[in-house]
Amino acid sequence: MQNITGFFGLTFEDRIFIAATPERGFAFFEKMEENYTRWHPDHIAFEWRKGRGLAVGNVFWFDEWIGGKRMAKQVRLVEVVPARLMVFEPTFWLLRAFLPRMSFAFIPEPGGFIFEAKIVMRGIGALGRRLNRRDFLAVERHMAQEGQNLKNLLETGSA
């Protein structure tokens, strides 16, 4: 887990090597309705709200527990490169002001791929980082668990 900080911004990044093809990783997310609750025990629900599948403009909603807090978000896919990248942003303009984007990348490597998850936040200064330290640690833990769980599901053929 890498936590990259700027003066008013913060990026959470988790990377893990997975011994599977990037196409298999991407396909896991194409079937998120059936995979969401299997992916992490703190995932509650997932549904497509506009369109279906990984295409620019499609909207999905997800609900999960992070650090003992229930968090639901509705997001729109804004960039999709099959088997390589998906970028999404909150549909609510005010949330987007602080959480402009999240992404999953599938970076080819010999024998598999690097799964890279990123959450970009802005408007978080040093005081905000200090006051939200526990919540941010919970986000980092959750992201690392998602990466490890995805690795386990793809490498064992469970997905």
Side-chain angles (χ1 to χ4, degrees):
M1 173 62 67
Q2 186 175 11
N3 181 329
I4 305 161
T5 58
F7 189 68
F8 285 110
L10 179 63
T11 299
F12 297 100
E13 180 180 295
D14 186 70
R15 297 165 58 98
I16 189 167
F17 177 81
I18 299 176
T21 65
E23 290 77 13
R24 266 194 73 218
F26 193 82
F28 178 87
F29 290 90
E30 279 282 359
K31 297 178 181 167
M32 192 49 68
E33 279 180 316
E34 64 189 64
N35 288 328
Y36 189 69
T37 56
R38 292 182 337 142
W39 184 19
H40 194 286
D42 290 340
H43 287 177
I44 300 166
F46 174 96
E47 62 185 53
W48 292 103
R49 295 272 172 99
K50 178 183 172 206
R52 294 183 73 74
L54 302 176
V56 171
N58 286 354
V59 174
F60 61 91
W61 169 87
F62 61 97
D63 190 5
E64 62 190 341
W65 290 97
I66 297 182
K69 296 180 181 177
R70 193 167 180 174
M71 299 187 182
K73 291 181 185 62
Q74 181 169 285
V75 297
R76 173 184 311 104
L77 287 158
V78 295
E79 183 178 354
V80 177
V81 179
R84 295 295 180 264
L85 176 70
M86 67 182 88
V87 180
F88 43 102
E89 66 183 15
T91 57
F92 181 49
W93 68 270
L94 186 57
L95 181 55
R96 199 167 47 247
F98 298 98
L99 181 66
R101 73 181 172 279
M102 296 162 274
S103 64
F104 296 135
F106 309 84
I107 304 160
E109 292 279 327
F113 69 97
I114 301 289
F115 176 67
E116 177 185 83
K118 281 188 184 181
I119 299 174
V120 176
M121 298 182 72
R122 62 178 166 215
I124 307 292
L127 180 60
R129 284 192 290 277
R130 194 168 321 129
L131 292 174
N132 294 290
R133 182 181 18 223
R134 184 171 295 159
D135 291 336
F136 292 164
L137 287 172
V139 168
E140 290 175 343
R141 226 179 359 264
H142 186 89
M143 289 174 70
Q145 291 167 347
E146 285 179 332
Q148 186 62 55
N149 293 348
L150 181 63
K151 176 182 179 71
N152 294 342
L153 287 166
L154 292 177
E155 289 182 354
T156 63
S158 300

